[in-house]
Amino acid sequence: MTGAVTKAAKESRGFADLTGGTSPCGVMNAPITEVKKVEVVERGQEKEGYAPVKATITGTCMAQFPRCGADKNSLCPPAPTEFTTKPLAFRLKKDDYGKWSAEKAE
């Protein structure tokens, strides 16, 4: 189950939504490079073919910070930046072969 959330996080294009608008990863819209930990904090009742879960994700992204060095207009080289999300809602589905997949719930 956590593997499905990890895969969904890595494939996500909504990095700001995943990492929170105030984290460097979210503000810079930086790609997630590593998911270190997924912790399911709440699991709801299965309904209509899926199980709702809330999970936090800890990992790193490659954030590129502005104002590097003497030139205030240049960008710093991308650097690994740690993040931890607030609890995020996902829908987990199990296929006919018992394999889980996840998508971020709205």
Side-chain angles (χ1 to χ4, degrees):
M1 193 173 356
T2 58
V5 173
T6 298
K7 183 177 179 189
K10 283 189 159 187
E11 292 175 351
S12 174
R13 296 290 174 239
F15 301 115
D17 290 342
L18 283 178
T19 61
T22 58
S23 83
C25 299
V27 172
M28 308 292 174
N29 220 15
I32 294 172
T33 54
E34 182 180 10
V35 175
K36 294 181 180 179
K37 180 176 152 186
V38 171
E39 183 179 352
V40 174
V41 293
E42 188 177 347
R43 182 174 174 168
Q45 296 291 332
E46 281 191 41
K47 54 185 169 188
E48 300 175 18
Y50 72 90
V53 298
K54 287 187 180 177
T56 58
I57 301 169
T58 302
T60 57
C61 72
M62 290 300 284
Q64 192 168 26
F65 296 94
R67 296 179 289 285
C68 190
D71 182 1
K72 300 293 184 201
N73 295 320
S74 67
L75 292 174
C76 299
T81 304
E82 300 279 328
F83 71 88
T84 298
T85 66
K86 61 184 180 188
L88 302 167
F90 288 90
R91 289 184 175 166
L92 288 122
K93 296 180 183 181
K94 195 183 261 190
D95 68 14
D96 292 340
Y97 303 101
K99 187 175 179 180
W100 288 99
S101 65
E103 63 182 32
K104 189 169 179 305
E106 297 298 319

